[in-house]
Amino acid sequence: MNILRRSLVRSRAREASHEVEPTAIEDATTSTKASGSFYFWTRPGTSKEEAKLVQKLDFAILTFCCLTFFAKDLDRNNINNAYISGMKEDLGLYGNELNWMITWFQIGYIVGQIPSQILLTKISPRWYLPAAEFLWSIFVLFLYKCRSAEQIYALRFCVGFIEAASWPGLHFMIGTWYRNHEINKRSGIFTASGIAATMFSGYIQAGVYETMDGHLGIRGWRWLFIIDFLITFPMVVVGLVLIPNPLYEKGTWWMSEKERAMCIKRLEADNRQPLGRFDRSLFKRVLGRWRFWILCTWFSLMYFVYQQPTTSTMALWLKADGYSVRDANNLPTVYSAISIVFMLLSGAYNDWRGSQIESVVLICLTQIVSESMLVAWNLGKPALFFAFYIAGTIQSLFPIIVSWTHTVCTADAEERAIVIGSLNSIGLAQGTWWNQVFVPTVEAPRFYRGYRAGLAASLALSAWLPVVVWFTRRQEKQERTNKHPVVEGVAPHEANETGGSAEKHNAGVAEIQDKADETGIVM
């Protein structure tokens, strides 16, 4: 049987690489097994050829993901910075207009998530993502011409609808090209790029306010949206050049056929399945399994906590307390800096440990402490600064939950795409009404109800972790018992079709191990 399995693997590699000899792939990926020593970037025992391939993936995929997400979050946070830097006074926004600007963006973002993920499974990301980038940059540019809150509402909806292609689509692309032990770190870096935009948004707005306010007759807060456009538009070209073609369909100019075959084998070692059938059975596959319900609930609880405190609520406190426009823009960036540092460290730690549990526990503890201090409130300025800043760890939970999703949904690519889109869509929908009910702008800076609700959500988030762990371990136990990935909610004959053609499937755990032994890819 082992000989037969090895022959089958070689024939698949030859077909995937257009007749590249299997022995070339084996020589290129020969390595020893990984040790238990700590590593930051590449697992010990990874061959030079595989390490070079991963570097190429990082340069192309991770670079585009980070640059485009930086631009997206720059605009998302600039609406808050613009509000406290002259927009409020210029447009006469003395009610809950800021909340509605955020809400209309979120409505468009929510509505567009799942349709965008469906399109991403049908249209090559190399064309789909740059096209979305182009449309997004045009709508952002139009914001600088707005003269009323209603015009901003309409454009923010359009910006949100187009931006729905970004976060879930880019995360799905990362999960399509990287292995399980590489995803935590890279998802963290990708998410951190958006947080960095939060920091730079404050610095840029402070600089624009001081140097460009009134230049060419345009107020400083309006220049910010023009700058967003100038940063984003070149990303269209970058995407067309760097985003790879679908792995199982055709080659990419910066990747050799040998490297493409190596990519396929790397993903097969984790049983990461390619796109297969997209039909009515997909809804049964998604809704009939625990992953959609348990993970979306987890993400929603995280979004409840994430609504308060944020850089926005902190900026409103600073402005109400008499801080200058510059300080109100810059001081909240420490929150973002803490988020980035914790995200990068936890991502490296999680990949090394092969577990995210310890990081999630620490995040939950910091949120409970932060929310408790903000509920008490009258603790003095140093204590409030501390409470706002440590709350930044909550953003590290975004890449953790998505990485968890990639791992447990690895055997069904369509399910993985829909669940990732659903996480953000459903979570953001929950956060939208939560923000309107518990964190209205008119209750700034105290947010009496908001911080109490945030404390309750932090406790609920902590209590949900054992639920997620139990379902995950039950699935792992079933996979070990059955010797093949568990496909719940689908008849056996349907399960064989959910991951694509027979040429692209693994026969089970035994075959995966054979492939790993044969190629030297580190499991």
Side-chain angles (χ1 to χ4, degrees), residues 106-115 117 164 167-168 286-287 290-304 307 398 417-435:
Q106 291 174 336
I107 291 172
Y109 196 53
I110 292 165
V111 170
Q113 295 270 309
I114 294 178
Q117 287 295 87
W167 190 90
V286 171
L287 299 178
W290 69 267
R291 297 182 279 270
F292 173 84
W293 305 101
I294 299 301
L295 296 177
C296 285
T297 301
W298 194 17
F299 208 81
S300 296
L301 290 171
M302 179 199 64
Y303 247 112
F304 290 153
Q307 298 306 307
F398 282 85
I418 298 301
V419 171
I420 290 174
S422 300
L423 288 178
N424 212 30
S425 181
I426 295 174
L428 188 57
Q430 303 295 345
T432 298
W433 71 260
W434 182 279
N435 191 54

Side-chain angles (χ1 to χ4, degrees), residues 228-271:
D228 283 345
F229 168 80
L230 295 175
I231 291 174
T232 304
F233 195 78
M235 292 302 102
V236 178
V237 178
V238 173
L240 291 172
V241 172
L242 292 183
I243 297 176
N245 290 310
L247 177 60
Y248 291 87
E249 294 181 11
K250 59 190 300 187
T252 300
W253 70 269
W254 49 263
M255 182 187 299
S256 69
E257 285 302 316
K258 184 172 73 173
E259 289 172 330
R260 180 169 166 242
M262 192 188 305
C263 281
I264 293 174
K265 282 187 172 292
R266 279 166 38 85
L267 297 174
E268 285 179 344
D270 283 342
N271 193 42

Side-chain angles (χ1 to χ4, degrees), residues 100-121:
W100 282 109
M101 290 175 193
I102 296 171
T103 298
W104 278 109
F105 168 86
Q106 291 174 336
I107 291 172
Y109 196 53
I110 292 165
V111 170
Q113 295 270 309
I114 294 178
S116 177
Q117 287 295 87
I118 292 174
L119 287 174
L120 195 59
T121 66

Side-chain angles (χ1 to χ4, degrees), residues 20 32 62 161 189 198 204 220 236 273 283 310 317 407 414 445 500:
V20 172
T32 59
L62 202 57
F161 187 83
I189 293 171
T198 303
I204 292 172
V236 178
Q273 298 293 343
F283 297 99
T310 63
W317 166 59
T407 300
E414 285 81 8

Side-chain angles (χ1 to χ4, degrees), residues 19-96:
E19 304 305 324
V20 172
E21 287 298 321
T23 53
I25 305 301
E26 293 166 16
D27 292 341
T29 56
T30 299
S31 65
T32 59
K33 292 295 182 183
S35 68
S37 59
F38 178 79
Y39 68 96
F40 180 74
W41 200 254
T42 304
R43 262 188 176 181
T46 301
S47 69
K48 291 182 179 180
E49 289 78 5
E50 186 178 356
K52 181 180 178 181
L53 171 62
V54 174
Q55 289 174 356
K56 282 189 174 184
L57 295 176
D58 290 338
F59 176 76
I61 296 173
L62 202 57
T63 296
F64 175 77
C65 288
C66 290
L67 288 175
T68 186
F69 197 53
F70 177 90
K72 299 296 184 299
D73 262 36
L74 190 65
D75 169 73
R76 188 180 304 187
N77 289 283
N78 278 348
I79 202 72
N80 297 297
N81 291 324
Y83 181 83
I84 65 173
S85 301
M87 177 193 285
K88 176 180 178 180
E89 292 77 12
D90 287 356
L91 302 185
L93 310 177
Y94 296 103
N96 272 335

